[in-house]
Amino acid sequence: GAVVSQHPSRVICKSGTSVKIECRSLDFQATTMFWYRQFPKKSLMLMATSNEGSKATYEQGVEKDKFLINHASLTLSTLTVTSAHPEDSSFYICSASGRARYSGANVLTFGAGSRLTVL
Amino acid sequence: GESVGLHLPTLSVQEGDNSIINCAYSNSASDYFIWYKQESGKGPQFIIDIRSNMDKRQGQRVTVLLNKTVKHLSLQIAATQPGDSAVYFCAESTRSHNAGGTSYGKLTFGQGTILTVHP
């Protein structure tokens, strides 16, 4: 089945540094990728939607200069948290939408998430 | 408005009992509804989905009911097992169309329910 590989699963960084999280689609081309943020015991909040080769569309209240999203290929999207601060500590999850390579079926699959801790 | 993340309600059941998890959605235009299971520290895992032109759909040990009149969705789990313990989220979406054919639009997640199954 369609798999999305997200890494790192856990990352700890110092305040002021930047962190990059990668999301790769395996066995399918992800025409659209979504990035979510989740706080403990809360629901997933959509941060942005990115279509391959286009600029990401950010949800209201999400700082695009703070959370840089790149979707340069049909199998890779990255989220970079720039100048991270402790309040950016959270669980970040990507999902990818596209067509499965062999079946041609539409798929929407989530990554396993990345736990970011900013000290 | 759209569903907003809140503190999660909880449901505790005994092993073997049936569980019913409820969800209220907000967008009358949504035409696709999905239930996800999320275990601690992991990404959401697809359980079952239903389209807006249906009111019931059954899977293995799970049934989803959709009541569009009151914008309510429920997930029924039969013979609940300890391995079913997790957070359950409903999500709503509208389908979008692009040059490659129909694909899934962005998901809006409900608040989620923590299910605890006691042996």
Side-chain angles (χ1 to χ4, degrees):
Chain A
V3 174
V4 170
S5 174
Q6 182 175 348
H7 68 92
S9 58
R10 292 177 178 271
V11 56
I12 300 173
C13 70
K14 293 182 179 180
S15 185
T17 61
S18 295
V19 174
K20 180 183 286 187
I21 299 169
E22 291 189 350
C23 187
R24 294 181 183 271
S25 60
L26 308 179
D27 290 332
F28 74 102
Q29 294 184 326
T31 50
T32 306
M33 288 221 184
F34 305 91
W35 287 94
Y36 295 84
R37 182 174 183 176
Q38 186 178 30
F39 291 105
K41 297 188 177 181
K42 297 260 183 108
S43 187
L44 283 75
M45 300 297 292
L46 182 65
M47 299 173 66
T49 302
S50 72
N51 293 301
E52 184 266 338
S54 303
K55 288 185 178 180
T57 302
Y58 289 81
E59 295 298 303
Q60 189 174 5
V62 178
E63 300 175 61
K64 62 180 180 180
D65 295 328
K66 174 75 170 176
F67 300 99
L68 299 179
I69 291 172
N70 183 283
H71 191 174
S73 78
L74 285 171
T75 58
L76 175 64
S77 177
T78 61
L79 166 68
T80 301
V81 182
T82 62
S83 187
H85 291 282
E87 58 266 30
D88 299 324
S89 298
S90 191
F91 193 54
Y92 293 90
I93 308 170
C94 69
S95 71
S97 173
R99 284 184 176 271
R101 179 178 298 178
Y102 300 109
S103 68
N106 286 315
V107 295
L108 175 62
T109 305
F110 282 82
S114 299
R115 171 78 59 194
L116 171 63
T117 302
V118 185
L119 303 177
Chain B
E2 294 190 351
S3 300
V4 178
L6 301 171
H7 290 284
L8 306 181
T10 59
L11 173 66
S12 292
V13 300
Q14 289 295 126
E15 181 178 3
D17 288 350
N18 297 330
S19 302
I20 300 177
I21 301 171
N22 298 301
C23 176
Y25 65 92
S26 59
N27 188 353
S28 298
S30 293
D31 56 10
Y32 187 63
F33 303 90
I34 313 104
W35 279 101
Y36 286 96
K37 174 185 180 182
Q38 186 181 29
E39 296 176 313
S40 181
K42 297 183 179 180
Q45 176 186 356
F46 175 90
I47 301 173
I48 191 169
D49 61 14
I50 188 169
R51 297 184 182 180
S52 59
N53 61 355
M54 303 170 65
D55 53 21
K56 180 179 180 179
R57 191 175 184 207
Q58 289 183 294
Q60 186 177 12
R61 282 202 305 122
V62 295
T63 301
V64 56
L65 299 177
L66 175 63
N67 185 331
K68 293 184 291 294
T69 302
V70 295
K71 291 190 284 188
H72 183 267
L73 194 66
S74 69
L75 176 70
Q76 300 177 3
I77 304 174
T80 317
Q81 302 167 1
D84 295 326
S85 295
V87 180
Y88 289 81
F89 292 98
C90 66
E92 57 183 304
S93 177
T94 54
R95 286 190 159 223
S96 62
H97 297 267
N98 56 31
T102 303
S103 63
Y104 303 136
K106 66 180 183 180
L107 297 177
T108 299
F109 280 82
Q111 63 177 354
T113 297
I114 300 173
L115 174 65
T116 302
V117 183
H118 300 283

